[in-house]
Amino acid sequence: MHINPFSNPWEHVRLLSDASRNRAMINTVVHHSPHKRVLEVGCGTGLLSCIAARAGATRVYAVEATDMVYVARDLVRRNGLQDVVEVIAGMVEDVEPKPVDFAFSELLHGDPFTEGVVGASNAMARWVVEGGLLSPSLLTVYAALVPAAGPEWEVRAAEAELARHSENFNLDLGAISEVMRSGTSHVYNSSGEVPVGPAVEVYRVTLGDGKPLPAPIDLVLEVAEAGPVSGVMVWFVARMDEHTDLGNPPRNPGHWGHHVCAFGRELEGTRGQRVAVRFHIKGKRLEVELLDDLG
Ligand SMILES: C[S@@+](CC[C@H](N)C(=O)[O-])C[C@H]1O[C@@H](n2cnc3c(N)ncnc32)[C@H](O)[C@@H]1O
């Protein structure tokens, strides 16, 4: 069973704590809502839909997939906005489209594809009338090599633990040690990684164009600062409109953090070393596989 984490109010606390994200979203909403019919997909608490109404939207459809619809409806009622804002429960993909002039969402995540922004934007585009605006309209994904030292540190710490327990309990724990050192790649979220090489553009996705998730792509990444390299960090820039970009660049990721794909083994990371990797969206998760150390 898949449980949508956004049914937990804590997820909304986290994103509402991000002032830079909030500012970008509110600027976009306030700029484009006056005298417009508006769709918000994934309204969560309902805050941005209510702001759209306050900014002068003539109608707001606020679609939300989780039980947060009850919070959003309460917010609308307490502010007397029932005549403008309609909170609709469900996935936008399952809701009958109505004509709107401006459709927006914030379906982003450290892994830019995992919240389903590509599929949801395709569904949203069916609501937008000729000349209307879908926001965001473009999603660009970047990547760079990183030390990803955390997993290596964890393996070493776990090995030290196993050595103690092996002695204390007279157990052969080789089966665990071997699997820990088997080079299994894995993904995690981190705010502490800093690129050790130049950024490459991985995907440039026009949202709402009806296309499926992008296909796998092989790229070569480079080491610029010498030191061990164990993975790839990913970040995104979402174009909300001609004035506003939303993203989680290196050193300033906001509440999103960064999606890091660890190779499961450490490369030496000499200056100028080139590493071939494959980017692949499996389900809705972006994974990066180490193909070749090109030296
Ligand atoms: C990152 S939160 C943003 C909440 C709100 N828009 C804000 O900015 O404060 C994304 C929300 O979208 C909802 N959601 C994700 N995919 C959806 C879909 N396809 N249809 C409807 N709601 C969706 C999630 O349940 C979650 O509440």
Side-chain angles (χ1 to χ4, degrees), residues 4 6-7 12 15-16 21 25 40-45 47-48 63-66 68 90-93 104-108 115-116 120:
N4 184 331
F6 285 100
S7 50
H12 298 271
L15 60 91
L16 290 172
R21 181 210 83 104
M25 292 305 295
E40 178 180 13
V41 167
C43 72
T45 58
L47 172 69
L48 295 176
V63 180
E64 171 54 44
T66 70
M68 289 303 290
M91 296 286 283
V92 68
E93 291 87 339
F104 72 94
S105 71
E106 194 277 85
L107 303 175
L108 300 163
E115 262 186 59

Side-chain angles (χ1 to χ4, degrees), residues 94-116:
D94 303 327
V95 179
E96 187 63 30
K98 297 168 181 67
V100 299
D101 310 288
F102 170 46
F104 72 94
S105 71
E106 194 277 85
L107 303 175
L108 300 163
H109 194 271
D111 176 344
F113 298 106
T114 206
E115 262 186 59

